[in-house]
Amino acid sequence: MHLVIIGNGITGVSAALRARELAPDCKITMISGESDFHYSRPALMYIFMGHMGYQETKPYENSFWCDQRIDLVRGWVTSVEVEDHAIALHDGRRLSYDKLLLATGAESNKFGWPGQDLDGVQGLYSLMDLKKLYTNVEGARRGVIVGGGLIGLELAEMLHSRGIDVTLLVRESSYWNNVLPAEESEMVNRAIRASGMDLRLSTELKSVVDNGSGRACGVMWAAVGADGDGEQLDCQVVGLTAGVSPNKTLASVSNIDCGRGILVDWTLRTHAKDVFAAGDCAELENDGDERNKIEQVWYTGKAQGVIAAESMLGGDKEYAPGIWFNSAKFLDIEYQTYGQVGFGLPGEQHLVWQDKQASRLFRIVHIDNIVVGFNAMGMRWRHRVCEKWLAEKWTVDRVLADLADAGFDPEFFKRFEGEIALTMSGAQN
Ligand SMILES: Cc1cc2nc3c(=O)[nH]c(=O)nc-3n(C[C@H](O)[C@H](O)[C@H](O)COP(=O)(O)OP(=O)(O)OC[C@H]3O[C@@H](n4cnc5c(N)ncnc54)[C@H](O)[C@@H]3O)c2cc1C
């Protein structure tokens, strides 16, 4: 049995390791066009900012793959020949497979802006983007970031760390308020402005200006929905960070069915025989009216990789999304979200605590007193404890009584738990 995995991100790697565990004798090949070895994509910014070397972003020694008997192939796969159970690489190599996993990740969105492909314009997704960035920041005085999500702010911080003035063009009326509730979003607005970056809300990119030799020298921007070409802002780097979409290029050219992503059932089988897909590139099909699901975070890639491996080896276990969790940093503000916050569930109620400086926040979302989700900003909480509250459907009072257990740094946390519990119990009564 030969398992071939395209992509060495967290999904591909999780699949390869699970397959090795389950099938000690099968042949496993993992292919990537991006890098020889798996590295941690979320660490891209830390490499640029000098907090980590590239070597440190690799969770496994280079020799690990050989020890695991997982063959690594460097190259871009250009097509899948489903009937022949074979794949073709850009340099003419061909490989046959018994089962194939597409773990091709995502790609930065581009919305057809004039000038979007000029030199100096880029996204932040891959090592290739990182390499481009080193060139693009040379001599740059201003960078414009288009789009207001997590990756946009990371790229903004990277430029800012080099002394480059940064302007953020954000379509929303408050930062990432399509995901963050108003108070959290306002905290991020304030943090961005306090850092000295120029945040322009309710604005959009009209086009990127060409300096006459194919390089960006500015952007045309305007208030959302305004007519005309907009106003010019000179800059030398443009970051396009208006979200990512599943990378379905390979699947599409190979006639494997796609919607927004590569279509899979919940065992992660595509519509093509012996071909599977998982992670950022996959779109899980739902029956009936419920929208298909695309999950594009690290831990869901890991979980889907494991299920995909089991399916490739004949299993029929379905992927079961756990309790939703995400964590990130908005500049210096730690952010954690658990469960269902911002879903607009029928009957949901919110309890919110903020410290006096509005630099820390805790939000509980509950329905009939049962906690269904919460956000923490400016504080770190223990994953194990927080998941338990949701999994076991704890009441608000019980959660408030247990806060001390969740604080990551109990000494520091003592100062807040009493205040949070008091504020929230008071608001309930
Ligand atoms: C800057 C940044 C910061 C992030 N921070 C966080 C975070 O803090 N927390 C979090 O949960 N998530 C974060 N994410 C998202 C997270 O990194 C992704 O969800 C995760 O990497 C997806 O893993 P994957 O294996 O599905 O895809 P990927 O990691 O994208 O791996 C896919 C691989 O397949 C390769 N590939 C694609 N097509 C081909 C082909 N035709 N031939 C050969 N190789 C191919 C790609 O080059 C890539 O190496 C971040 C993402 C970015 C870009």
Side-chain angles (χ1 to χ4, degrees), residues 143-148 151-153 155-157 159 166-170 175 237-241:
V144 171
I145 306 296
V146 181
I151 296 179
L153 195 47
L155 185 51
E157 196 177 350
L159 297 181
V166 175
T167 296
L168 294 115
L169 300 181
V170 173
Y175 205 86
V237 195
V238 181
L240 299 181
T241 54

Side-chain angles (χ1 to χ4, degrees), residues 136-399:
N136 286 335
V137 295
E138 272 175 34
R141 295 176 307 285
R142 175 168 296 277
V144 171
I145 306 296
V146 181
L150 286 166
I151 296 179
L153 195 47
E154 286 192 1
L155 185 51
E157 196 177 350
M158 289 157 80
L159 297 181
H160 198 58
S161 73
R162 299 272 167 131
I164 297 170
D165 291 336
V166 175
T167 296
L168 294 115
L169 300 181
V170 173
R171 292 193 98 244
E172 290 73 36
S173 57
S174 184
Y175 205 86
W176 215 32
N177 68 356
N178 47 345
V179 174
L180 295 177
E183 290 86 349
E184 286 87 324
S185 170
E186 184 50 36
M187 279 174 76
V188 181
N189 293 341
R190 270 201 312 274
I192 294 173
R193 289 187 168 130
S195 74
M197 291 193 253
D198 170 26
L199 173 61
R200 301 188 186 184
L201 298 169
S202 304
T203 62
E204 62 187 7
L205 177 70
K206 290 279 187 181
S207 61
V208 184
V209 183
D210 189 337
N211 72 351
S213 50
R215 171 159 279 280
C217 65
V219 294
M220 301 299 291
W221 69 281
V224 172
D227 291 334
D229 295 338
E231 218 176 292
Q232 180 157 342
L233 176 64
D234 292 342
C235 66
Q236 296 73 42
V237 195
V238 181
L240 299 181
T241 54
V244 298
S245 299
N247 179 357
K248 55 183 183 179
T249 311
L250 176 61
S252 297
V253 299
S254 309
N255 295 320
I256 296 167
D257 290 348
C258 294
R260 290 178 294 142
I262 306 170
L263 293 172
V264 287
D265 67 16
W266 288 69
T267 66
L268 303 172
R269 289 173 165 84
T270 69
H271 296 185
K273 188 168 187 295
D274 295 328
V275 182
F276 302 72
D280 274 22
C281 66
E283 176 176 343
L284 293 149
E285 291 183 281
N286 273 318
D287 294 336
D289 292 342
E290 211 181 323
R291 200 167 188 238
N292 288 351
K293 208 175 183 65
I294 296 177
E295 293 189 329
Q296 294 181 309
V297 289
W298 187 261
Y299 81 97
T300 57
K302 194 170 176 176
Q304 289 188 18
V306 167
I307 298 292
E310 293 176 9
S311 296
M312 288 166 94
L313 292 166
D316 56 9
K317 194 148 112 198
E318 293 197 341
Y319 166 65
I323 288 164
W324 176 254
F325 164 71
N326 201 2
S327 75
K329 254 181 125 179
F330 296 102
L331 303 173
D332 285 335
I333 307 177
E334 299 272 358
Y335 161 67
Q336 288 182 313
T337 185
Y338 291 85
Q340 307 183 70
V341 181
F343 284 55
L345 303 170
E348 74 173 33
Q349 290 189 295
H350 291 229
L351 295 165
V352 183
W353 168 86
Q354 273 189 292
D355 68 352
K356 288 200 180 64
Q357 296 75 30
S359 59
R360 295 188 178 84
L361 175 146
F362 183 55
R363 170 186 304 274
I364 291 185
V365 183
H366 67 98
I367 298 175
D368 293 335
N369 211 30
I370 302 294
V371 177
V372 295
F374 46 89
N375 279 351
M377 302 272 285
M379 298 177 278
R380 286 171 74 202
W381 296 63
R382 280 181 214 285
H383 192 269
R384 175 184 51 79
V385 179
C386 297
E387 256 201 2
K388 181 180 66 183
W389 294 344
L390 295 173
E392 295 177 3
K393 299 188 179 354
W394 282 31
T395 61
V396 173
D397 291 342
R398 201 169 161 210
V399 166

Side-chain angles (χ1 to χ4, degrees), residues 6-12 31-34 41-42 44 75-77 103-106 124-125 151 154 247 250 278-281 296-299 326-327:
I6 304 176
N8 69 353
I10 185 64
T11 309
I31 306 173
S32 171
E34 182 182 5
R41 192 171 300 289
L44 280 174
W76 293 104
V77 179
T104 51
L124 176 66
Y125 192 85
I151 296 179
E154 286 192 1
N247 179 357
L250 176 61
D280 274 22
C281 66
Q296 294 181 309
V297 289
W298 187 261
Y299 81 97
N326 201 2
S327 75

